[in-house]
């Protein structure tokens, strides 16, 4: 039984507590938050829990095996580092840290101490994304031409991080998980519409070594919610619409065959390939439940998580590069991995 | 009665012929195309028409007042220039010309001869776009924050122009028509997935002097067709979905009010404004009919068309800049107007 | 502070407990269920609650002011009658009782004792239905021509009641709430696809004295979920789609004007009226919260609930008539009110 | 080469002319309509055609092999009978005739003279319906439980026939084509909202000998257009949405397995079967083209059409029974075949 302490009981904390409570193999034994009123709301639901406002008490509690961190981004590094140094396994909200140098130190610390460090790239644990990865890995899509994601809505404006850190990280971590190759360069544009606040609209292009491109569009200020991803392959194409209640994933047997048109020098003869569409049944397991069980499994069997510290570091690196590009209005930033 | 000659009877030509036939105030009297079999298919429907394969005959036909050009892009300049020099009014398919220097010469020639030069930026003549322009001009949307357009489908690959010239020009000309200010700079990315062929995916960001941004995503290779435009204003927002059969335009009384959150230093207090949605009734007039009548009206009353040569030139300038940026992977290109 | 006891902690019970817990003015103090394992799951969330398996203990608990009954239909009468006789106010799941004679006795008992009897016709308390009632009452729709509801999905098969008792009651109670007049007769058809089990498909037509008709289609066995209601008025029409996340209600300024066509004796000249569409903003308050507060308010101020015993009785009468008709394959059953 | 004469050049006539013009194996050589202005609009497109206002001239034209009748329903019998008696093959708009006795006489006359009589049940010739028939015939859906069709919109009000004759006939003829068994009885309800005019809303239930049911909902007065058909089988289920541009047909591997629930006497243990969805690619051939070619093929090879006079007679019989039931508010009418 893995005993879990949770730091931060704001928007996402209750989901983490609930999932580690219900996961077989773990129990939440302690929760801390600086805001007393949050703890009292917690007390109504879980009256037996130890609570407090001081995270050091929790981190140093010998009764705790793993620390889950769901606090503002700027605190991730200090809390995660303290927890690792106290010998705890750590699950930290995305992003892993506010800066890549911090992220790298966390990776190194976890490695040195042989502790599990899992970054909560939640979508990686959804049934839809796991199926996409499986389909791409199987080769059924053929060569991957492009990955295009739109994630926009009238969302909660953050004031410490921009919309890339808040929303695009979801798509970037999905891309990281499902595409076998890594981007070579990034170009991003965006804007802030609230003076003095971080960018609330961003467009990010990722360039790959092969003839592959990825693009992510995020926006906190749209009248309708859109979660729409297109993945084009030479053999098949995917539409992943996360708002569809039952058919989130549609696989199209569509594409093109290109040959020069003999009679018209101004046109290519494009023979469209129009085939069936297929929507695989997904289980609708809660992603956080899959992730909690995976964290426990990694701790118990000394495994590397699918979204380990290195994945978390890659995302921080990538977002830093995207931010640099955005602030320089699209300037190409080469990426090293 | 304006007597119209049409050069090019391929994909779009039949629509032009039909609309100038049915428009009161005009009649198509002559059509030419290099491909004889195209003309024989024309003969089945309009047996009385003069036809031929030589465009010079048509251009120099004294019985013709106006020349409509629906041929490949590379031929636009020569044909339009010849027609203007022969004293004909000209309607030319988008884009006005393959290069900005050519476009400028056409503008100058039309001005010098006091002839009407209309570029077929078709969407400008749709009821939806006219309503958008009206809503923005009325100030009801407030300050315009962003314009975001997606125009993707499994489309006809062109081999002489890329997807920007073919598809993005629609959105760029709508933006040109509905936004009062002009973009200051452009950054574009994209890729070709067919070796040796033009780019079939492109992402274009337009920067404006104010805190306004526009973005266009075009793609010839997607499994589903999307025509989805979001326009965000400080007071209201628009969703324009051209594939909706009856409610193409939805106006949302949604937005945000931003104030610092007193109790939580990590969050802004964003009070969402969530109001009614309203879908104005549109007439579903065929855009090309509106455009044909406008062309006739401009000829008869010596008016400047809404999509005149200058608008056509602006689009060619803009697309050239976008292409330069795309080939340099997002490098910012400043625009002069 | 109204002290509430809840009988039945199955599918719907947890929602009732949660809502009476969180409603200001009430607290759930006791819950009973025959299944001990249900109570233990309850204990995890609300450790302070009195629980037990014997409903009489709860009903006779002097510390309880109101009894909420969420048990199988066949038990509604006995439990509600016992609670009323013990002087408790009662909220009972729909339908009020399994037979109309039982329903009538409950109405009489509540009236005689001046106790609140509220039937949980949940949809009556949704923002969407309240807005529909308001729009109809305001006269903005004009004369109501028809009400057409579809409520189908791959749903939980019940074995004690058929799909009319389970699903159609929602639509019938909405109709009862929003239409000013009562149906005069009913004709229903349907079928069971599981041998020995109640009907899982039903079609119900309600006839009104005026030229008004209503129809309800319910089905437990469809591959997709549909919640689609059309309301046609002489002035405006409503589409109510309960699955739409944000625009559940659309009001169309559409209709017809009919005049004889002078030139063609075979056609009426129907001039369509095609106007704007408008989607009023709804609050998305949880219906059960509105209902709980209403129940408390009725108790505290001795008011008649909107869905009182008489409404519950009307629904049982109507469903009995529909069942009779269904089993006689559509035979018309006149209704007395 | 089958020489075709078309009687009636109103709403549907132009489509018939165009399709028999373009079909290889036929040509339209003569068209008649009582309204001269209709013929002049025809002359613009097909200047070589013989035209006139007298149908007898056309029917008795020895140069004509087949007569296509697209006139008001009340004239179908006289025109079709005259054409058969003149030895012509006949294609007649749906419904075959206004009364079943007339329809029977046409069937007998065609049989006696060995002439092809095809009724234009257009949807039978769509790719979607042909695929549905194929899927049902293959047994892949298992036992068919129900067929539910909704066909509603703000439609052209007819004054000579009601909405059943106008719209429901489409669904009834599809049902006739795809289901192997015939209905045993019918119950229908409906209403007219325009005084003195035919019913504009109707609900029709068809009972089959097996545990199968079908239902058709038609309405000329709805704010949105719906073409939504659900077909439930014991193995798979179909959603056929004719308004979907690309995926009109979705086949769901969904259903139920029913076993008594051991622990709860009030519930059946329904294990839902939730599997993949599959949308077969359809060709989007114009139905009328398929039908025209089929008509020609039947003439040339002396075959019986898929929608022959007998099918037309079945539909008239069925609609007469439905009308009788509707006017008696749902009274069950047994059907003889």
């Amino acid at each position: 039984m893995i005993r879990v302490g949770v730091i931060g009981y704001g928007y996402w904390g209750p989901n983490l507590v609930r999932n580690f409570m219900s996961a077989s193999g773990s129990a939440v034994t302690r929760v801390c938050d600086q805001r007393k009123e949050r703890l009292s709301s917690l007390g109504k639901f879980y009256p037996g829990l130890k609570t407090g406002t001081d995270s050091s008490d929790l981190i140093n509690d010998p009764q705790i095996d793993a620390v889950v961190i769901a606090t503002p981004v700027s605190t991730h590094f200090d809390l995660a580092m303290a927890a690792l140094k106290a010998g705890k396994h750590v699950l930290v909200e995305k992003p892993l840290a506010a800066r890549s140098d911090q992220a790298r130190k966390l990776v190194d610390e976890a490695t040195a101490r042989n502790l599990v460090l899992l970054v909560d790239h939640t979508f990686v644990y959804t049934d839809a994304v796991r199926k996409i990865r499986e389909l791409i890995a199987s080769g059924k899509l053929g060569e991957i031409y492009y990955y295009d994601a739109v994630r926009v809505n009238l969302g909660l404006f953050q004031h410490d991080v921009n919309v890339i850190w808040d929303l695009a990280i979801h798509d970037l971590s999905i891309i990281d998980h499902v595409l076998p190759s890594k981007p070579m360069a990034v170009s991003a544009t965006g804007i802030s519409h609230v003076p003095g606040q971080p960018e609330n609209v961003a467009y990010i292009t990722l360039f790959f070594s092969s003839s592959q491109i990825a693009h992510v569009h995020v926006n906190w200020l749209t009248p309708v919610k859109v979660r729409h991803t297109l993945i084009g392959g030479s053999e098949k194409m995917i539409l992943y619409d996360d708002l569809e209640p039952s058919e989130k994933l549609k696989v199209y047997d569509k594409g093109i065959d290109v040959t020069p048109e003999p009679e018209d020098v101004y046109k290519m003869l494009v023979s469209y390939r129009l085939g069936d569409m297929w929507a695989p049944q997904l289980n609708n397991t809660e992603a956080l439940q899959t992730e909690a069980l995976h964290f426990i499994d990694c701790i118990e069997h000394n495994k590397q998580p699918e979204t380990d510290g290195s994945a978390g570091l890659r995302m921080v690196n990538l977002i830093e590069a995207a931010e640099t590009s955005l602030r320089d209005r699209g300037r190409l930033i080469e990426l090293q991995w």
Side-chain angles (χ1 to χ4, degrees), chain A:
Chain A
M1 174 66 66
I2 306 297
R3 295 161 303 178
V4 175
V6 175
I7 305 178
Y9 195 73
Y11 170 69
W12 197 237
N15 293 324
L16 290 161
V17 171
R18 178 170 49 78
N19 273 284
F20 279 103
M21 276 294 194
S22 62
S24 79
S26 72
V28 176
T29 57
R30 190 162 184 163
V31 174
C32 85
D33 195 292
Q34 295 179 340
R35 298 160 299 181
K36 283 198 174 168
E37 76 283 4
R38 295 297 307 166
L39 297 174
S40 74
S41 91
L42 171 72
K44 280 205 298 194
F45 285 93
Y46 306 102
L49 270 187
K50 247 192 287 186
T51 60
T53 55
D54 188 342
S55 58
S56 325
D57 293 351
L58 186 148
I59 286 170
N60 295 308
D61 184 340
Q63 304 282 73
I64 281 176
D65 307 303
V67 173
V68 169
I69 298 166
T71 55
V73 177
S74 57
T75 66
H76 285 188
F77 174 71
D78 287 345
L79 292 170
M81 185 57 84
L84 290 169
K85 289 194 165 158
K88 312 299 189 191
H89 304 284
V90 170
L91 185 158
V92 64
E93 269 315 282
K94 53 89 188 167
L96 172 51
R99 300 200 318 264
S100 55
D101 61 325
Q102 296 176 335
R104 183 170 303 276
K105 282 179 192 156
L106 292 174
V107 172
D108 292 345
E109 190 73 26
T111 305
R113 293 179 179 271
N114 196 25
L115 290 167
V116 173
L117 173 60
L118 187 149
V119 187
D120 181 20
H121 296 158
T122 320
F123 279 88
V124 164
Y125 298 97
T126 58
D127 293 325
V129 171
R130 296 174 99 72
K131 175 61 86 175
I132 291 171
R133 180 181 157 106
E134 179 192 318
L135 286 165
I136 290 176
S138 74
K140 279 179 189 155
L141 299 193
E143 185 188 352
I144 302 304
Y145 286 159
Y146 63 82
Y147 185 107
D148 180 272
V150 179
R151 185 177 299 269
V152 305
N153 56 280
L154 198 51
L156 198 61
F157 274 64
Q158 312 279 343
H159 91 165
D160 54 343
V161 294
N162 68 17
V163 71
I164 300 181
W165 290 95
D166 181 46
L167 291 186
I169 191 171
H170 291 307
D171 300 295
L172 297 172
S173 62
I174 297 172
I175 291 169
D176 185 66
H177 189 65
V178 303
L179 293 188
S181 53
K182 297 297 162 216
M184 309 298 285
V186 61
S187 166
T189 59
I191 200 167
S192 164
H193 290 110
V194 182
Q197 293 301 320
E199 294 84 0
N200 54 286
V201 182
Y203 300 96
I204 306 166
T205 302
L206 303 180
F207 297 92
F208 291 75
S209 58
S210 57
S211 75
Q212 198 175 87
I213 197 167
H215 188 268
V216 176
H217 168 207
V218 285
N219 191 330
W220 277 332
L221 195 56
T222 63
V224 289
K225 186 175 181 177
V226 182
R227 296 284 183 270
H228 200 268
T229 296
L230 289 166
I231 309 171
S234 57
E235 298 303 319
K236 291 195 198 304
M237 303 194 192
I238 288 177
L239 166 59
Y240 161 37
D241 186 342
D242 200 44
L243 301 185
E244 278 284 328
S246 49
E247 287 123 37
K248 289 187 192 304
L249 227 55
K250 293 179 179 163
V251 184
Y252 293 84
D253 186 11
K254 287 190 179 178
I256 50 159
D257 295 313
V258 182
T259 49
E261 185 173 335
E263 53 153 330
D264 181 352
V265 69
Y266 295 111
K267 292 262 163 58
M268 295 298 291
L269 189 63
V270 175
S271 38
Y272 296 121
R273 193 163 33 75
L274 298 175
D276 294 356
M277 181 267 273
W278 163 69
Q281 171 64 19
L282 302 173
N283 294 322
N284 287 324
T285 318
E286 188 178 357
L288 213 42
Q289 188 61 20
T290 303
E291 182 177 331
L293 293 170
H294 179 58
F295 184 52
I296 297 163
D297 183 49
C298 288
I299 293 171
E300 288 179 340
H301 301 96
N302 197 25
K303 290 185 190 167
Q304 199 67 3
E306 299 192 54
T307 55
D308 59 5
S310 299
L313 170 59
R314 283 196 301 274
M315 293 306 98
V316 176
N317 272 325
L318 183 50
I319 292 174
E320 282 182 346
E323 257 190 328
T324 304
S325 176
L326 185 156
R327 277 154 198 181
D328 214 1
R329 297 198 290 178
R331 183 164 63 85
L332 191 76
I333 307 294
E334 306 277 351
L335 298 165
Q336 267 84 37
W337 295 108

